[in-house]
Amino acid sequence: MNIRAVAVDEATRLQAIIDDCLHLEGPMLPILHRVQEEFGYVPESAKQVIALALNVSRAEVHGVVSFYPDFRDHPAGRHVLKLCRAEACQSMGCEPLAETIKEKLGVDWHQTAADGSVTLEPVFCLGLCAQAPALMLDGEVHARVDEHCLGDILAEVRR
Ligand code: FES
């Protein structure tokens, strides 16, 4: 498949998502969620197409993507590691865990390890406050995370 065919395919998939969601009340968030599911992120080129479809500015779409931590405007690594930074997890030591993760992976928040293995993202409550600190790896939650099980998780993402 050549580059133009890939671009046409992406445009078709994007338009199908927009067509599916346009009838919804407040369609921007559903469209953005579906785009991220489909492509793994919200490509810059998609923002303009979404803006035109919703009759808003590209800056408005960009603002929504930037505001919500769930959206990303660059491709993620093979794994996505989300560490909870909300109050309960903070009180149970999520910040030292964050420092360990950053140091071991050589990343900061919203960055992907150089080998493309994992993207680190903050999240603000996973609903596991009573079992803090918590994280989510590729959609699977892990509770009462300590340095020991964090080591296993980091080994898993680097495989
Ligand atoms: S504060 Fe971390 S899971 Fe609720």
Side-chain angles (χ1 to χ4, degrees):
M1 195 182 277
N2 65 32
I3 289 173
R4 182 165 160 61
V6 169
V8 169
D9 178 54
E10 284 183 5
T12 304
R13 287 154 57 206
L14 174 59
Q15 194 58 53
I17 291 169
I18 291 171
D19 292 345
D20 265 6
C21 298
L22 216 44
H23 70 283
L24 300 172
E25 195 173 322
M28 187 170 327
L29 286 177
I31 288 172
L32 291 172
H33 279 293
R34 291 265 314 268
V35 166
Q36 179 142 312
E37 262 175 50
E38 181 76 21
F39 300 103
Y41 70 113
V42 181
E44 206 53 46
S45 57
K47 292 178 187 170
Q48 184 63 45
V49 177
I50 295 166
L52 282 171
L54 300 182
N55 200 23
V56 298
S57 69
R58 193 205 65 81
E60 202 170 324
V61 178
H62 178 76
V64 173
V65 172
S66 309
F67 180 78
Y68 289 100
D70 268 359
F71 297 128
R72 70 180 76 84
D73 56 11
H74 53 278
R78 295 189 298 281
H79 300 280
V80 176
L81 179 59
K82 296 183 176 191
L83 181 69
C84 180
R85 301 186 73 198
E87 274 181 30
C89 286
Q90 277 192 26
S91 72
M92 294 302 286
C94 72
E95 289 306 324
L97 291 176
E99 291 313 309
T100 300
I101 294 169
K102 290 178 185 180
E103 187 191 320
K104 294 225 155 115
L105 298 178
V107 297
D108 205 339
W109 299 113
H110 306 288
Q111 291 181 347
T112 299
D115 62 1
S117 58
V118 58
T119 300
L120 175 63
E121 293 182 344
V123 68
F124 296 90
C125 198
L126 291 166
L128 291 168
C129 313
Q131 298 160 310
L135 62 75
M136 182 185 277
L137 176 63
D138 299 332
E140 186 180 324
V141 290
H142 297 257
R144 294 196 174 101
V145 177
D146 58 19
E147 292 281 344
H148 178 72
C149 74
L150 182 61
D152 293 342
I153 289 167
L154 294 180
E156 186 181 329
V157 300
R158 307 254 21 200
R159 265 189 226 128

